[in-house]
Amino acid sequence: MARRPDRKRCIIVTVVVVALFIIVLGLVLGLTLRKEPEQFETTFINRCEKFKGYDCNKLWTAFEQAYVGQDPCKVTVEDYDPFIAAASFKPACNRMMFWSKTKDIVHAFTAKNPCFVTLEDTVLGGVADGLTWCGKEGSSETFTTGCPGWSDCENNTVRSFWNKASAAFADAACGNVTAMLNGAVDTPFSSTSIFGSIEMPRFTSPTVKRLNIVLLTQTNSGANCTNASLKELQNTLAKGITYSCSEMTEAQLQQCSSKPCGNCW
Ligand code: JS2
């Protein structure tokens, strides 16, 4: 007889342990998911505060109104207009740098050579660089997981942002403009890339006087300035803008980083 109460007690203990485990798991998940929106906003505000002269709470409000409560695949570039207006910046004439397939090396360069400015070195791109975010119909939260990918839908939250921010940055281009392209790929210039389809078409003469292409090459291999895609670039560049192309290895670029604003191309 003594065996039955033991068996019953064992079943009760198991049920209690499983129930406790489910409660703890739910609490951890709930806390993590609740932290998601706050962490994103905190990251946004902290990054914004690194740029002087902006009301970062106003910038955050303008940013989140573009996508909060929306289907994450129905956020258009125009939805970010209020943010672009709030994040206006003084163009760095002769020092603006564009890039394509060279993100990491370009940002390592501008980190050492603050003379040159990429979109991500301004508040416009700096607050969102490397981040993922989206909203959901019926929710006032910002999500950073479960968002549609870049190619999942045309009007996706992050893709519309970068298309809009890139267009705004290119609209502000002035004087000598630099673009760092990747000589290790067959077509360093692609008319379907953001640089080729959104930014370069916005360079107009006489505001933009010159486009300096810096083609980053591996030592003595890969594409050079005679590459066919660069001929296509020249053919589509607005009339009146002077074009130059310089081949540069990463080592040469490193040496350039030490020159304060001295052009190496
Ligand atoms: C930044 C992101 C992210 O000139 C550059 C920049 O102005 C950039 O905004 O757009 C140009 C590069 O785009 P492109 O030519 O398509 O080059 P890529 O290397 O094929 O694409 C890189 C992704 C650009 C858009 N983008 N830009 N920071 O976190 C970020 N995420 C995405 N998707």
Side-chain angles (χ1 to χ4, degrees), residues 103-148:
K103 184 182 180 191
D104 294 341
I105 194 165
V106 164
H107 288 153
F109 175 76
T110 57
K112 282 190 204 157
N113 203 328
C115 166
F116 289 98
V117 180
T118 65
L119 166 59
E120 297 74 24
D121 295 314
T122 68
V123 72
L124 199 55
V127 288
D129 191 21
L131 302 180
T132 294
W133 66 93
C134 65
K136 190 163 62 177
E137 283 177 305
S139 165
S140 59
E141 303 288 11
T142 292
F143 299 95
T144 56
T145 54
C147 297

Side-chain angles (χ1 to χ4, degrees), residues 99-101 103 120 129-130 150 162 166 193-195 199:
W99 50 272
S100 195
K101 308 278 187 301
K103 184 182 180 191
E120 297 74 24
D129 191 21
W150 184 268
W162 286 112
S166 302
S193 68
I194 290 183
F195 174 66
E199 294 172 327

